[in-house]
Amino acid sequence: TSPQLDCAGRILRLDRARVMGIVNVTPDSFSDGGAHDTTEAAVAHGLKLVEEGADLLDIGGESTRPGAAPVSVEEELRRVIPVIEQLAARTQVPISIDTFKPEVMRAAVAAGAGMINDIYGLRQEGALDAAAATGVPVVLMHMQGEPGHMQADPHYDDVVAEVHGFLVQRLFAAEMAGIAKKNLLIDLGFGFGKTTAHNMTLLARSERFLELGVPMLAGLSRKRSLGELTGRDTPSERVAASVAAHLIAVQRGARIVRVHDVAATVDALKIWQAVEAVPTPRADA
Ligand SMILES: Nc1nc2[nH]c(SCCc3ccc(S(N)(=O)=O)cc3)nc2c(=O)[nH]1
């Protein structure tokens, strides 16, 4: 039986790398800023990403980019719940909720979400119990510091060892809270309290994390490190770099990649899958 995730009834097979499409429901990411238009635009975007080949969607109502302003529980719910309800009704793919707030986790799963993606790794008060109560798979991500200042001056004695130790501790905490190991995933948290050097070290040594025995998610899409390495100052100019980074992440063990550019990533992974399908020559052949 090849690995798979049961996302509230929607099965996500992990026999090959899967593409998670990003749907930001933040007024500043859509022209008008009006509530209805924001919902409508976010739903349309999610449908477009599924058309492009997304295997699942990640719905986020609060930007956690460095320096972003916090959003209240009420406001975050107002943004994401209508989008989750509509997308769950209009597509068959699993819907992930990108939140660290326990109340939003519970409401999102009640509204049709089948996965929780928590950049704080369930460290907020009440998050472990909320996630356990939903019964859906959970992504535990590493972050050093908080979004407000995490990129000020990130420092590690040994970034791989420290990120590994953090994820071991979060996996333990999640299992102690009653979350089955088969429902746990990890994420190295590219760009969350890391310099470009830290990010590239983690990407280069991703395979080290497979020993944790859970699927790994990678999210480098359009991030600053890719801009620094290519000189592309605008996120939308970082598509080629993002596709390259996620192909490398998959080659080094990632099972899910979280991307803005679904069509391009799907094409790149098709080439990887064609190469992976070539049988290894037998030793005595
Ligand atoms: N599991 C998971 N969830 C995620 N949610 C986000 S939102 C991106 C926030 C951001 C934007 C830009 C930079 S930067 N300064 O590196 O360009 C950092 C963080 N990302 C991830 C990720 O990776 N995994």
Side-chain angles (χ1 to χ4, degrees), residues 20 22 24 58 62-66 98 117-119 139-141 150-151 186-194 199 217-226 238 258 260:
M20 171 190 262
I22 298 169
N24 288 319
D58 193 33
E62 174 175 16
S63 170
T64 50
R65 72 182 52 257
D98 186 341
N117 175 24
D118 184 352
I119 65 162
V139 180
L140 302 172
M141 195 195 81
M150 63 189 175
Q151 290 304 112
I186 55 166
D187 183 328
L188 309 186
F190 294 107
F192 286 92
K194 285 106 176 170
N199 288 325
L217 187 150
L220 291 116
S221 192
R222 300 186 175 187
K223 287 185 175 174
R224 178 177 306 287
S225 289
L226 302 185
R238 298 168 187 166
R258 180 181 178 279
H260 297 89

Side-chain angles (χ1 to χ4, degrees), residues 280-285:
T280 312
R282 285 175 35 199
D284 58 353

Side-chain angles (χ1 to χ4, degrees), residues 26-28 61-76 78-79 100-101 119-120 124 146-149:
T26 47
D28 53 8
E62 174 175 16
S63 170
T64 50
R65 72 182 52 257
V71 167
S72 70
V73 171
E74 296 71 26
E75 174 57 20
E76 189 174 340
R78 256 196 306 277
R79 293 179 184 183
F100 51 83
K101 301 188 183 75
I119 65 162
Y120 272 83
Q124 296 293 310
E146 311 262 335
H149 58 72

Side-chain angles (χ1 to χ4, degrees), residues 206-207 210 215-216 248-255:
S206 295
E207 286 166 303
L210 298 181
M216 179 162 56
I248 293 163
V250 166
Q251 291 176 329
R252 295 178 188 227
R255 271 272 168 262

Side-chain angles (χ1 to χ4, degrees), residues 7 10 20-25 30 38-52 54-61 79-98 108-109 111-114:
C7 304
R10 296 186 183 189
M20 171 190 262
I22 298 169
V23 180
N24 288 319
V25 192
F30 296 105
T38 300
T39 299
E40 198 174 81
V43 170
H45 188 65
L47 293 173
K48 172 172 170 278
L49 297 184
V50 172
E51 278 303 301
E52 291 186 14
D55 297 296
L56 69 164
L57 296 174
D58 193 33
I59 316 300
R79 293 179 184 183
V80 302
I81 298 306
V83 174
I84 291 168
E85 286 171 342
Q86 286 203 43
L87 283 173
R90 297 167 67 177
T91 69
Q92 295 308 309
V93 305
I95 309 283
S96 166
I97 175 70
D98 186 341
V109 173

